[in-house]
Amino acid sequence: MSETPATTPKNFIFEAVEEDLRTGRFSYVRTRFPPEPNGYLHIGHAKAICIDFGVAEAFGGECNLRFDDTNPVKEDVEYVEAIKEDIRWLGFDWGDREYYASDYFEQLYEFALLLIQKGKAYVDDLSPEQIREYRGTLTEPGKESPYRNRSVEENLDLFRRMRNGEFPEGSRVLRAKIDMTSGNLNMRDPVMYRIIHRPHHRTGDRWHIYPMYDFAHGQCDSIEGVTHSLCDLAYEDHRPLYDWFLDELGIFHSRQIEFARLNLSYTILSKRYLKELVENGYVSGWDDPRMPTLRGLRRRGYTPEAIRNFIEQVGVAKNENLIDIALLEHAVRDDLNLRALRVMGVLDPVRVVILNYPEGQVEELEAINNPEDPAAGTRKVPFSREIYIERDDFREVPPPKYFRLAPGREVRLRYGYIIKCVNVVKNDQTGEIEEIHCTYDPQTRGGYAPDGRKVQGTIHWVSIPHALDAEVRMYDRLFTVPNPSKVEDGKTFLDYLNPNSLRILSGCKVEPSLTKARPGDHYQFERKGFFCVDPDSSADHLVFNLTVPLRDTWAKIEVKQKGD
RNA sequence: UGGGGCGUGGUGCAAUGGCAGCACACCAGACUUUGGAUCUGUGGAUCUUGGUUCGAGUCCGAGCGCCCCAGCCA
């Protein structure tokens, strides 16, 4: 294997894998990404995906996709396709290695039989409540079940009949016979199989018993020849059990390594909570652009590259973490800055009339599509006597350091002319500014001042007769606190929902080149932010989602001024 | 009074006994036809405490703090 230290991320997992190869514990590398098909993938999963596929790739190995479908009560095919789609979108390929834990049900059953024969597993008739009581507590040892010492023959017979569906749900389970006094609760005779009379999305009604995670995962890894089974810290306590099953069965022994899951500030990454948001209508669905799901991020305008870069920057360790969402936002700005075409869009329009500009005249001005990418070329933008500008780009009483338009002041219209405000027309009743009257300097076409005079401010604009109407959905973080999963007593994460996480702007005006915008296209509205065309968008009703705003230095200055 | 894990600037990750570094954030400045981008710079960290060592974030002892585990969920 060739060394690529510059591109190979260095973390404790890579080091462990490297060591395993060096010491000969394994001669190849194979990992797996094991989603349960009971929900949609979120950015936390993206971390796991990047690690699972990344480790395999770095060592010339492969990563299997294996659906962990051992519980027909919770799982559904609906999620399988969505999960595959999201992984592909993120940019990973599992080739033809698409597996299901349910593919191995027969083999797992044989494994169970083997353990029963070895006297290492037994059928228990205790009720779920009794099992809990017998388990003991964190500080007190458990008690052995009265059914623990059944004969091998009786266990075999009972277990076969469990499989045949002869017993009601909850009446019996198969348990491993380990140690009811272990300090690790997972070792106190864990349940291996439970009875569930429910059709499975892949095996139909063939089974009446289903293996628990602990009895399935390690053996599936083993069957697939997975060398490194990378998972969440939560499974650290399960590793002794993972190892125990593999050792007792005497089969290929994968190595489980745990790392800390991703936590993101101002959001939640718990499947249960996300589901609650969707089901109770706090968001419009799993793909709501405010959701940290991959579908949500995609619709919001995040790119796979941005997400992968973000994950790489976050690193891999075992520390509990809360990643600043600003890092994610930085990653997407960084990526979009290089590729998004620039356009002009006025979100909160106010009319400007250029008094000395000939009525009916239209000029096609040249605008650069992307200053970061000369290959993106230029386009023509129509200019006329009446234009829209951003309401906030005009102040009757300009505060200090305000560079934009104000009575008697000049400002440059991007790629247009330098204009000067000469008058303001206000609504008699409301006092709201309805129209701003300006004059333009014909010598400044394109925005250049031949006399070399400095014009500090440059603002965006859209020609009124040529403007396209658009709806713009402005998104903000979903929660008002950095860590919504850690709440005050008596409150829930729902109490911290940001009421302003979505603001719909309906009267927006955008330049005519946007007629060719298609759902999924990324744009930068100059001076405002990166936007993405929503799937709801159509030719006669453009809809844009704010992906992330541009850094806004003026907003900072203004906040500071107000604080003084 | 059980078992497992983790403690490095505001956040995250490095430093594998030898000058505590990188990214994001923050602050200041330069540049600017996006108050964007870019560039430069400042400030700021090894949980505590003893020890080993020429030298400790790293090794050893003691303590403290935080997280996870009592599903027939994964």
Side-chain angles (χ1 to χ4, degrees):
Chain A
M1 198 202 72
S2 63
E3 293 292 322
T4 49
T7 54
T8 300
K10 208 172 176 226
N11 61 54
F12 76 99
I13 295 179
F14 279 76
E15 285 173 7
V17 174
E18 227 160 46
E19 186 189 356
D20 288 344
L21 255 17
R22 195 175 55 243
T23 60
R25 176 170 178 172
F26 299 112
S27 59
Y28 65 94
V29 174
R30 177 138 66 229
T31 59
R32 105 270 87 120
F33 175 63
E36 184 188 14
N38 71 340
Y40 293 89
L41 262 25
H42 55 63
I43 190 149
H45 295 110
K47 176 175 181 180
I49 293 169
C50 289
I51 292 172
D52 290 334
F53 280 89
V55 166
E57 191 191 350
F59 292 94
E62 50 198 21
C63 179
N64 294 350
L65 171 60
R66 183 173 72 237
F67 288 96
D68 224 329
D69 56 350
T70 56
N71 188 350
V73 176
K74 306 183 126 182
E75 295 145 10
D76 200 285
V77 265
E78 169 200 351
Y79 300 110
V80 170
E81 283 311 312
I83 287 170
K84 292 199 292 189
E85 183 179 77
D86 286 346
I87 299 171
R88 265 190 231 107
W89 175 76
L90 242 199
F92 295 100
D93 181 17
W94 56 94
D96 60 354
R97 298 178 312 284
E98 177 180 324
Y99 305 123
Y100 295 80
S102 54
D103 293 343
Y104 312 125
F105 279 175
E106 195 61 49
Q107 176 68 258
L108 292 171
Y109 178 78
E110 296 295 324
F111 285 150
L113 254 22
L114 202 64
L115 289 184
I116 293 173
Q117 277 154 354
K118 283 183 71 178
K120 299 288 186 174
Y122 63 98
V123 172
D124 196 350
D125 299 358
L126 253 29
S127 69
E129 296 72 33
Q130 288 172 312
I131 286 184
R132 193 183 330 121
E133 285 161 24
Y134 275 67
R135 185 155 31 226
T137 69
L138 292 177
T139 52
E140 300 157 13
K143 293 185 301 195
E144 295 186 353
S145 164
Y147 303 96
R148 198 175 198 254
N149 293 310
R150 288 219 248 233
S151 70
V152 168
E153 290 68 32
E154 191 183 2
N155 280 321
L156 250 18
D157 175 60
L158 253 16
F159 188 50
R160 285 200 185 97
R161 290 166 62 193
M162 279 168 66
R163 174 179 182 165
N164 291 341
E166 293 181 30
F167 308 118
E169 286 189 17
S171 59
R172 286 178 229 263
V173 291
L174 182 72
R175 302 177 71 176
K177 192 189 285 188
I178 308 181
D179 178 8
M180 289 307 291
T181 67
S182 171
N184 181 345
L185 302 211
N186 294 305
M187 300 300 270
R188 318 242 262 228
D189 290 12
V191 172
M192 295 163 58
Y193 271 93
R194 70 294 212 187
I195 297 168
I196 300 176
H197 299 299
R198 178 79 75 98
H200 182 279
H201 66 98
R202 285 183 65 86
T203 60
D205 54 10
R206 279 211 289 283
W207 293 89
H208 293 92
I209 53 172
Y210 292 89
M212 297 286 289
Y213 165 85
D214 284 310
F215 189 66
H217 206 99
Q219 284 74 268
C220 292
D221 285 341
S222 180
I223 292 165
E224 293 179 11
V226 165
T227 57
H228 299 273
S229 189
L230 314 174
C231 63
D232 194 280
L233 247 30
Y235 295 98
E236 221 154 10
D237 285 345
H238 294 246
R239 179 154 30 93
L241 182 53
Y242 181 102
D243 291 336
W244 189 89
F245 281 129
L246 261 19
D247 288 340
E248 290 296 335
L249 257 11
I251 55 180
F252 178 80
H253 200 134
S254 318
R255 193 221 303 203
Q256 174 178 302
I257 300 176
E258 312 84 9
F259 61 88
R261 68 186 309 148
L262 174 74
N263 295 294
L264 242 200
S265 67
Y266 296 98
T267 190
I268 45 165
L269 294 180
S270 134
K271 237 183 236 181
R272 206 187 101 228
Y273 285 176
L274 292 175
K275 198 168 183 177
E276 211 171 323
L277 291 179
V278 172
E279 286 176 353
N280 296 329
Y282 294 105
V283 295
S284 66
W286 288 98
D287 68 341
D288 186 298
R290 290 167 292 182
M291 292 283 276
T293 50
L294 295 182
R295 321 171 82 66
L297 289 163
R298 185 189 314 156
R299 187 167 177 185
R300 176 79 169 257
Y302 276 75
T303 59
E305 291 80 2
I307 293 173
R308 280 190 264 119
N309 289 342
F310 165 73
I311 295 297
E312 192 171 323
Q313 302 214 13
V314 156
V316 182
K318 298 187 73 160
N319 301 330
E320 183 80 18
N321 61 73
L322 185 61
I323 308 294
D324 192 340
I325 197 164
L327 187 58
L328 213 212
E329 295 173 341
H330 171 263
V332 74
R333 280 195 195 100
D334 206 38
D335 183 43
L336 258 18
N337 180 46
L338 300 177
R339 36 206 287 198
L341 298 182
R342 271 59 168 175
V343 292
M344 292 197 282
V346 178
L347 272 24
D348 181 16
V350 63
R351 169 185 299 254
V352 170
V353 181
I354 302 163
L355 301 174
N356 59 339
Y357 193 87
E359 268 182 77
Q361 176 172 310
V362 175
E363 290 181 83
E364 295 285 328
L365 301 169
E366 186 166 78
I368 295 166
N369 286 330
N370 183 354
E372 304 291 330
D373 176 19
T378 60
R379 70 186 183 286
K380 298 291 189 190
V381 185
F383 182 80
S384 67
R385 187 170 190 265
E386 300 199 3
I387 60 174
Y388 290 116
I389 66 167
E390 213 69 63
R391 189 167 285 277
D392 191 47
D393 283 340
F394 175 82
R395 296 290 172 89
E396 261 196 296
V397 184
K401 293 186 183 166
Y402 184 83
F403 302 153
R404 285 113 91 151
L405 199 60
R409 298 238 289 226
E410 279 193 326
V411 77
R412 174 168 34 238
L413 297 175
R414 173 134 244 225
Y415 303 125
Y417 291 94
I418 293 172
I419 59 171
K420 181 186 213 168
C421 171
V422 294
N423 189 29
V424 182
V425 179
K426 291 199 238 179
N427 182 296
D428 292 340
Q429 273 81 51
T430 65
E432 188 183 57
I433 294 168
E434 290 187 325
E435 212 168 271
I436 299 165
H437 290 174
C438 294
T439 56
Y440 84 115
D441 178 350
Q443 304 300 305
T444 59
R445 190 184 147 118
Y448 302 97
D451 59 357
R453 103 185 89 126
K454 285 275 181 250
V455 175
Q456 184 82 272
T458 300
I459 64 174
H460 59 279
W461 52 274
V462 175
S463 165
I464 292 182
H466 305 90
L468 264 30
D469 285 305
E471 172 181 324
V472 176
R473 299 172 182 170
M474 303 294 282
Y475 296 103
D476 198 355
R477 37 196 65 163
L478 237 193
F479 293 92
T480 56
V481 292
N483 192 355
S485 5
K486 207 177 143 202
V487 299
E488 286 174 54
D489 285 346
K491 297 207 171 189
T492 78
F493 73 105
L494 295 171
D495 292 312
Y496 299 93
L497 274 168
N498 177 4
N500 302 315
S501 60
L502 167 60
R503 273 168 44 235
I504 297 177
L505 271 28
S506 54
C508 307
K509 306 291 182 180
V510 300
E511 63 170 72
S513 73
L514 255 6
T515 44
K516 62 177 196 299
R518 295 292 172 268
D521 287 350
H522 304 279
Y523 290 98
Q524 182 194 105
F525 287 7
E526 293 214 24
R527 303 206 306 132
K528 298 311 273 187
F530 293 101
F531 294 81
C532 181
V533 183
D534 192 82
D536 288 347
S537 194
S538 64
D540 52 352
H541 184 69
L542 290 171
V543 181
F544 295 92
N545 293 320
L546 171 67
T547 304
V548 66
L550 251 27
R551 269 187 59 205
D552 189 347
T553 305
W554 165 244
K556 266 183 204 168
I557 294 170
E558 199 175 24
V559 165
K560 205 188 298 172
Q561 283 179 357
K562 280 178 180 157
D564 290 342

